[in-house]
Amino acid sequence: MSTTIYSARKIITMNPNQPEVSHVAVRDGRILGAGSLNDLAGWGAYTLDERFADKVLMPGLIEGHAHTMEGALWQFTYLGWFDRRDPNGSVWSGVKSVDAVVARLSEAEKEMADPDAPLLGWGLDPIYMDNVRMTRADLDRVSSTRPVGILHASGHILNVNTRGLELAGLYHEGNNHPGIPLAADGLPTGELKSPEIIMPAGKHVGMDRAFLAADAGGLRNYGKLCVRAGVTTSSDLGLQLDDTLVDLFADVTGEDRFPVCLVAFRISMGMGPKELVAYTAGLKQRNTDRLDLGRIKVVADGSIQGFSARMLWPGYYNGAENGLWYIAPDQLEEIYELALKAGVQVHTHTNGDEATQLTIDTLETVLRRAPDTDHRFTLQHCQLASEHQFRQMARLGMCVNLFANHHFYWGDEHYTLTVGPERAHRMNACRTALSQGVPMAIHSDAPVTPLGPLFTAWSAVHRLTASGRVQGEGERISVEQALYAITKGAAITMKMDHLIGSIEIGKRADFAVLEEDPTAVDPMALKDIPVWGTVQGGRIFAASEL
């Protein structure tokens, strides 16, 4: 087996025994060693590769909460508030009003040949438009004959036009579900919430999550986004995995030039607890170097900016009704107990603090019956957790993956509208999590916000809102802590720290190749560091050659 030794301007290892080195040796896709050239020469014959001599290497960045459908969504119409870069590097401008949303969709509709084909947009964020709610009448302006839908940025709300409601069997009086708001005429407004409503209706407007997940081209697009962001391992939290979909993921990730390891979670929806745990445990036999299976994702509540998260007293700052439960407590308890007994890790989506408390209390109860000293059950988002709740998590051996990007994208709206000043200052409390001893990662939740761990790290370091305010100065963390959270910290939350997260002997040869040193630049420039590309499993991917 041949050995290649790479030199670099600096190699940040995340290994406390030698935090910085000048060279790293790679053999058969794994790290043979890191240190000086003299240290590594003892392994025998080698080839010295100096292509990174002016670059900075660090462990491949890890996105601990994202969805590969970010790659597939780009075949539809982008309608987000902020400008956004697509997998090919082009930038799409944001839209700033309902009229602008209608205009962009109308332009796309004119290009469609099939008069009955659905038209889907994505990324809508009405909270920036004075929280105005789009209605079926707005989308009827785009077309009254073809089904039209828009997936919100949060992923928890779907708007559809009248035709979409008709096809979904919802365009009638008498709907009695909190996920189907009604207009004054007794008919649905066209805004739909909660998975059991969105998923069946979404199929009629092109928003079939199973279809989006099963898009081979979308997976390849997602791989491109990962290289541009320095990501070598990414989770996909929310797949209704079955044998057919696993086969597709195995085929695509098995391609010679697929550039990332995907950690695909089986979402709890669509299966009973016993079938869910048994099926997910069996998936571990399908694991490869670029597809890691055998974990469960549970969704406990909705989104804060969509007012569907479950909140403890006093609830939403603007007086909105409390959000929605996405799972029954007894079902959550059964999943937790069966998973602990089967050695299957569970990550649970909680946004509101009431949802967080439910998961903590449930796990504490179940651990008495099924003890596990290294379960690492992880709360995803967990945005409003209090210091008391973090102490409980630490005592129970839980991990957390906080949504640091929220400060920038929705911080101002959380302050003035959703949770109010006091709770906005403590949202995504990275410093508190660390001080209480809870293993922590931070994430983008792409496509909710753009994939980019360096931006996520910048968000945790500065806690700046889109208007430029510092929100929650007491919860800011250091650059070093933020870089740890997007490398080894994320690896720990997915029980992969024996494979990835640091540059040291025996681990996978995964590196982010940067043009600047994130520990030396002005911290305000952290998000702007150019990414040259990645090395994944010893294979080199230049962003300029995608």
Side-chain angles (χ1 to χ4, degrees), residues 11 86 116 229 238 288 328 395 469 501 527 540:
I11 300 175
D86 69 19
D116 299 318
T288 69
R395 177 170 53 81
R469 293 186 305 106
K527 65 180 176 61
I540 297 171

Short mmCIF file of all heavy atoms in Angstrom, two decimals, residues 11 86 116 229 238 288 328 395 469 501 527 540:
data_model
loop_
_atom_site.label_atom_id
_atom_site.label_comp_id
_atom_site.label_asym_id
_atom_site.label_seq_id
_atom_site.Cartn_x
_atom_site.Cartn_y
_atom_site.Cartn_z
N ILE A 11 -1.71 22.66 9.89
CA ILE A 11 -2.72 21.63 10.04
C ILE A 11 -3.27 21.70 11.46
O ILE A 11 -2.54 21.50 12.43
CB ILE A 11 -2.15 20.23 9.76
CG1 ILE A 11 -1.59 20.15 8.33
CG2 ILE A 11 -3.23 19.16 9.97
CD1 ILE A 11 -0.91 18.84 8.00
N ASP A 86 -26.51 28.32 -5.15
CA ASP A 86 -26.96 26.98 -5.52
C ASP A 86 -25.77 26.03 -5.68
O ASP A 86 -24.61 26.46 -5.56
CB ASP A 86 -27.83 27.03 -6.78
CG ASP A 86 -27.07 27.40 -8.06
OD1 ASP A 86 -25.82 27.27 -8.09
OD2 ASP A 86 -27.71 27.82 -9.04
N ASP A 116 -50.98 20.71 -16.37
CA ASP A 116 -51.44 20.07 -15.14
C ASP A 116 -50.31 19.77 -14.15
O ASP A 116 -50.57 19.33 -13.03
CB ASP A 116 -52.17 18.76 -15.47
CG ASP A 116 -53.39 18.98 -16.33
OD1 ASP A 116 -54.13 19.96 -16.06
OD2 ASP A 116 -53.61 18.19 -17.26
N ALA A 229 -18.55 23.77 1.03
CA ALA A 229 -18.62 24.18 2.43
C ALA A 229 -17.55 23.54 3.30
O ALA A 229 -17.49 23.82 4.51
CB ALA A 229 -20.00 23.85 3.00
N GLY A 238 -34.08 12.75 8.73
CA GLY A 238 -35.49 12.81 8.43
C GLY A 238 -35.89 12.01 7.22
O GLY A 238 -36.76 12.44 6.45
N THR A 288 -21.31 1.41 4.99
CA THR A 288 -20.10 1.45 4.19
C THR A 288 -19.28 2.66 4.65
O THR A 288 -19.67 3.38 5.57
CB THR A 288 -20.42 1.62 2.69
OG1 THR A 288 -20.96 2.94 2.47
CG2 THR A 288 -21.42 0.58 2.22
N ALA A 328 -46.99 11.36 20.34
CA ALA A 328 -47.64 11.14 21.63
C ALA A 328 -46.61 10.70 22.66
O ALA A 328 -45.67 9.97 22.34
CB ALA A 328 -48.72 10.07 21.49
N ARG A 395 -26.72 15.15 33.40
CA ARG A 395 -26.86 14.06 34.37
C ARG A 395 -27.32 12.76 33.69
O ARG A 395 -26.95 11.66 34.11
CB ARG A 395 -27.87 14.49 35.44
CG ARG A 395 -28.19 13.44 36.48
CD ARG A 395 -29.00 14.02 37.63
NE ARG A 395 -30.18 14.74 37.20
CZ ARG A 395 -31.34 14.15 36.88
NH1 ARG A 395 -31.45 12.83 36.94
NH2 ARG A 395 -32.39 14.86 36.53
N ARG A 469 -27.36 43.38 15.57
CA ARG A 469 -27.34 43.42 17.03
C ARG A 469 -26.70 42.14 17.59
O ARG A 469 -26.88 41.05 17.04
CB ARG A 469 -28.76 43.50 17.61
CG ARG A 469 -29.51 44.77 17.35
CD ARG A 469 -30.85 44.79 18.10
NE ARG A 469 -31.65 43.62 17.80
CZ ARG A 469 -31.83 42.59 18.64
NH1 ARG A 469 -31.25 42.59 19.83
NH2 ARG A 469 -32.59 41.57 18.28
N GLY A 501 -13.53 13.61 13.00
CA GLY A 501 -13.58 14.71 13.94
C GLY A 501 -12.23 15.27 14.33
O GLY A 501 -12.16 16.37 14.89
N LYS A 527 -16.64 33.50 8.84
CA LYS A 527 -17.62 33.00 7.87
C LYS A 527 -17.19 33.22 6.42
O LYS A 527 -17.75 32.60 5.49
CB LYS A 527 -18.98 33.66 8.09
CG LYS A 527 -19.02 35.16 7.84
CD LYS A 527 -20.39 35.73 8.09
CE LYS A 527 -20.43 37.25 7.93
NZ LYS A 527 -20.08 37.72 6.60
N ILE A 540 -9.32 13.53 -3.20
CA ILE A 540 -9.23 14.99 -3.22
C ILE A 540 -10.31 15.57 -4.11
O ILE A 540 -10.53 15.13 -5.24
CB ILE A 540 -7.83 15.42 -3.72
CG1 ILE A 540 -6.76 14.92 -2.75
CG2 ILE A 540 -7.75 16.94 -3.88
CD1 ILE A 540 -5.34 15.10 -3.25
#
